[in-house]
Amino acid sequence: MELTKYIEANPLHKQQITDAVLYAENNLKNLKRLSGRTYFQHALAVAENLAELNFDYVTVISGLLHDVLEDTQITREDFLTKFGSEITTIVEGVTKLKKYTSVMSDDARRNENIRKLIIASAKDIRVIFVKLADRMDNLTDLKFLPAEKIKKISQETIDIYAPIAHRLGIYKLKAHLEDFSFMNLNPQLFSELSKKIAFREIEQQHILDDIVETLKKNIDPLNIQYRIKSRPKNIYSIFRKMEKQNKPFEEIQDILGMRIITATVENCYSILGILHTMSSPVPETFTDYIANPKSNMYQSIHTTVIMPDGVTVEVQIRTEEMHKTASYGIAAHWKYKDTEKSSVKIRAFDEKISWLASVIEWQENNNSNEFLAGLKAELEFDQIFVFTPKGDIKSLPAGSTTVDFAYTVHTDIGNRCHGAKVNGKMVSLKYELHNGDIVEILTGKTAHPSQDWLKFVKTPTARSKIKNYNKITKV
Ligand code: MN
């Protein structure tokens, strides 16, 4: 989307956006990247990536200005006065991330990067959106860097940024990030594969046309509005499939895919009913993400069917609204009236839930049920993110102590803790944790909870467990 189209669609913020464009132009037009493009052209491209994903105007402006604090003489104070604290926080967050992610090699480094990303996003999740859009444009502009650096940036994108886009449900961006990185990492294989995929698509077009024709015949009598779309190919994911199955492209079973998009949930189920009557559903391929949405809010009905003529096709059925969410992830839910103070709070709440949920999902070995139970209550407070010595993430309300942390890890750890180290230093049990702290709990076989702990613990979980323990042992 051109930025001008975005401005037309957001007339309320026309002035602010145009001001930011001018400001970016004045300050960045004389700075050149290795490719010869100016920093301003890059900034504009990043903002356009964000506009295309339909983010709010604060995110788009932050995209325009994301390099300003780091690469010009402009002071933080001047910037803050001109653009306000929201945009300043986001731009600062992006600037900080740059420093962390520029060096990167082994697993430890990678975990460190993910850690910093999560902390930055805890302040304002839009930091991540800008960072992803920034990375997207950088990938198109790498060819003048040394080969080693191109490889590093592309690999990092596949390892960290694409999975984040995926977790946030921004599938469109995820596919772009992956395919561009793959292109940089293995240009020859990339072009070979994309040609083969394109060729196969042409070959299959008439099969798809037939299926659409059959579907139409059956659905049209219902008199409901719908549209059928083919599913865009993610070249990198096909490559991954080849690697996993250790097969050449020709032997990868290619299941045709299509999407049926309609207005209402009711329509979705009507269409599903018809589809399952006119074809044979493949057992165990049916998943109803409408009734059971993914934690990143993704919704759709998935089913694989064999058509009357024997062709297998994967079908996704969803509403227009769900389609938006699937393409833009939580960005699609950004369209609250951003002028009303009250809705800002709702928005923040929604954001936190979905973001935290995806962070939790990410941590495979996390005991997330217990955590989710307390989440709603605890979201009233600000959250902090802290880490176990192994690098697992725990989220706690601001003001939580080492004892709260201990109970988050495990009830036994809480009950047996008698000391704690934060970032390698001994601290008292009532020590208040901060974002990014690495917390190690020291336990003893004979240690047990003290009533005194109730004076300083912050989480309902810790409180109830301390009370419980004392009840049980007093009997
Ligand atoms: Mn940049």
Side-chain angles (χ1 to χ4, degrees):
M1 191 202 261
E2 295 278 323
L3 208 50
T4 44
K5 269 190 210 149
Y6 181 84
I7 294 171
E8 270 168 42
N10 296 274
L12 274 180
H13 304 297
K14 183 178 176 172
Q15 197 57 49
Q16 284 144 302
I17 301 167
T18 351
D19 277 357
V21 172
L22 278 177
Y23 189 88
E25 187 174 15
N26 284 335
N27 289 291
L28 299 171
K29 69 176 175 212
N30 293 324
L31 290 168
K32 282 228 165 96
R33 290 159 71 95
L34 277 177
S35 64
R37 280 164 93 215
T38 65
Y39 275 51
F40 175 59
Q41 283 170 304
H42 165 64
L44 211 51
V46 171
E48 271 168 5
N49 285 343
L50 291 162
E52 199 187 314
L53 291 165
N54 228 341
F55 283 107
D56 71 328
Y57 78 100
V58 170
T59 314
V60 172
I61 291 178
S62 302
L64 274 169
L65 303 173
H66 77 276
D67 278 330
V68 164
L69 277 183
E70 193 189 18
D71 295 315
T72 70
Q73 302 302 315
I74 290 157
T75 64
R76 185 188 184 276
E77 287 66 36
D78 288 349
F79 191 85
L80 181 67
T81 316
K82 180 139 179 69
F83 295 104
S85 64
E86 241 183 332
I87 292 170
T88 306
T89 305
I90 298 172
V91 170
E92 273 183 329
V94 178
T95 308
K96 269 186 203 149
L97 280 181
K98 241 188 233 170
K99 285 178 187 140
Y100 298 123
T101 50
S102 57
V103 206
M104 126 114 210
S105 52
D106 54 2
D107 275 2
R109 189 75 224 169
R110 200 175 85 174
N111 286 339
E112 179 70 4
N113 279 334
I114 294 174
R115 209 166 77 96
K116 303 288 183 197
L117 265 170
I118 289 165
I119 293 168
S121 69
K123 272 196 186 157
D124 193 320
I125 195 169
R126 289 172 289 186
V127 170
I128 298 270
F129 300 155
V130 176
K131 184 68 194 170
L132 290 172
D134 178 38
R135 180 50 61 105
M136 188 56 228
D137 186 61
N138 285 340
L139 286 176
T140 65
D141 204 20
L142 287 181
K143 45 187 177 294
F144 298 91
L145 294 179
E148 198 48 40
K149 207 158 183 207
I150 295 179
K151 222 182 131 189
K152 228 181 202 177
I153 292 173
S154 303
Q155 195 60 51
E156 185 192 54
T157 306
I158 284 181
D159 290 344
I160 299 178
Y161 293 97
I164 287 173
H166 182 86
R167 293 293 174 197
L168 292 172
I170 319 173
Y171 296 115
K172 205 174 171 178
L173 188 58
K174 177 221 167 211
H176 279 178
L177 288 168
E178 280 182 349
D179 286 351
F180 268 97
S181 304
F182 180 42
M183 184 183 78
N184 286 320
L185 286 170
N186 201 332
Q188 214 180 329
L189 189 55
F190 176 85
S191 86
E192 215 174 281
L193 259 183
S194 20
K195 270 180 214 148
K196 283 181 180 171
I197 291 165
F199 188 70
R200 191 185 265 177
E201 268 175 0
I202 296 167
E203 276 184 333
Q204 288 170 338
Q205 194 52 53
H206 73 278
I207 308 178
L208 275 171
D209 289 346
D210 283 353
I211 297 173
V212 170
E213 205 45 50
T214 321
L215 277 171
K216 275 190 153 178
K217 249 184 239 155
N218 287 277
I219 302 175
D220 283 353
L222 280 188
N223 215 5
I224 53 181
Q225 294 286 316
Y226 65 93
R227 57 197 176 99
I228 297 176
K229 286 190 74 174
S230 63
R231 227 170 37 191
K233 299 279 184 199
N234 180 186
I235 296 166
Y236 180 71
S237 75
I238 292 170
F239 166 70
R240 288 278 298 155
K241 227 185 219 177
M242 290 164 55
E243 264 194 339
K244 256 193 208 154
Q245 301 177 9
N246 197 17
K247 281 179 183 166
F249 176 74
E250 288 69 24
E251 286 174 37
I252 293 290
Q253 203 205 357
D254 185 49
I255 299 177
L256 292 168
M258 62 171 58
R259 285 182 184 139
I260 305 176
I261 303 165
T262 182
T264 65
V265 170
E266 205 187 335
N267 289 354
C268 291
Y269 289 108
S270 306
I271 292 170
L272 176 72
I274 286 179
L275 182 69
H276 277 181
T277 324
M278 58 178 274
S279 62
S280 332
V282 177
E284 283 167 40
T285 59
F286 175 75
T287 318
D288 186 352
Y289 291 117
I290 291 183
N292 302 297
K294 291 190 187 180
S295 64
N296 60 23
M297 299 198 258
Y298 175 86
Q299 285 185 294
S300 241
I301 294 169
H302 290 191
T303 185
T304 303
V305 298
I306 302 166
M307 299 301 282
D309 52 6
V311 181
T312 304
V313 54
E314 268 175 15
V315 185
Q316 301 174 343
I317 309 169
R318 50 174 76 151
T319 64
E320 293 287 351
E321 191 61 35
M322 292 168 191
H323 185 55
K324 234 167 133 193
T325 304
S327 315
Y328 305 135
I330 64 173
H333 294 265
W334 220 265
K335 300 243 101 187
Y336 292 100
K337 284 174 225 145
D338 45 20
T339 45
E340 286 171 30
K341 276 263 156 62
S342 63
S343 63
V344 171
K345 202 173 174 187
I346 300 168
R347 187 177 73 184
F349 188 77
D350 277 350
E351 261 164 47
K352 274 186 177 170
I353 288 198
S354 51
W355 174 240
L356 286 176
S358 47
V359 168
I360 292 159
E361 198 182 50
W362 198 336
Q363 296 291 303
E364 283 171 29
N365 302 320
N366 218 357
N367 181 8
S368 59
N369 281 344
E370 190 183 40
F371 179 64
L372 274 174
L375 186 61
K376 266 205 147 169
E378 288 171 6
L379 270 173
E380 297 299 319
F381 304 93
D382 274 339
Q383 295 288 305
I384 56 162
F385 293 94
V386 295
F387 297 86
T388 69
K390 277 186 193 161
D392 287 340
I393 300 160
K394 301 285 172 193
S395 174
L396 292 162
S400 289
T401 62
T402 58
V403 173
D404 292 297
F405 174 86
Y407 278 106
T408 310
V409 176
H410 197 279
T411 307
D412 275 347
I413 306 280
N415 286 341
R416 308 230 163 278
C417 80
H418 65 68
K421 278 184 183 176
V422 170
N423 306 325
K425 282 188 195 134
M426 286 296 301
V427 296
S428 79
L429 284 176
K430 61 179 165 194
Y431 179 88
E432 264 189 33
L433 298 171
H434 299 102
N435 251 332
D437 280 347
I438 300 169
V439 192
E440 186 184 343
I441 298 296
L442 309 173
T443 56
K445 273 187 185 149
T446 57
H448 57 82
S450 147
Q451 277 307 116
D452 284 349
W453 294 0
L454 292 173
K455 288 180 197 149
F456 60 77
V457 293
K458 188 96 185 179
T459 53
T461 316
R463 184 168 299 278
S464 75
K465 284 183 175 162
I466 296 163
K467 280 185 186 159
N468 268 343
Y469 185 94
N470 288 320
K471 249 186 241 159
I472 295 163
T473 47
K474 264 176 200 157
V475 175

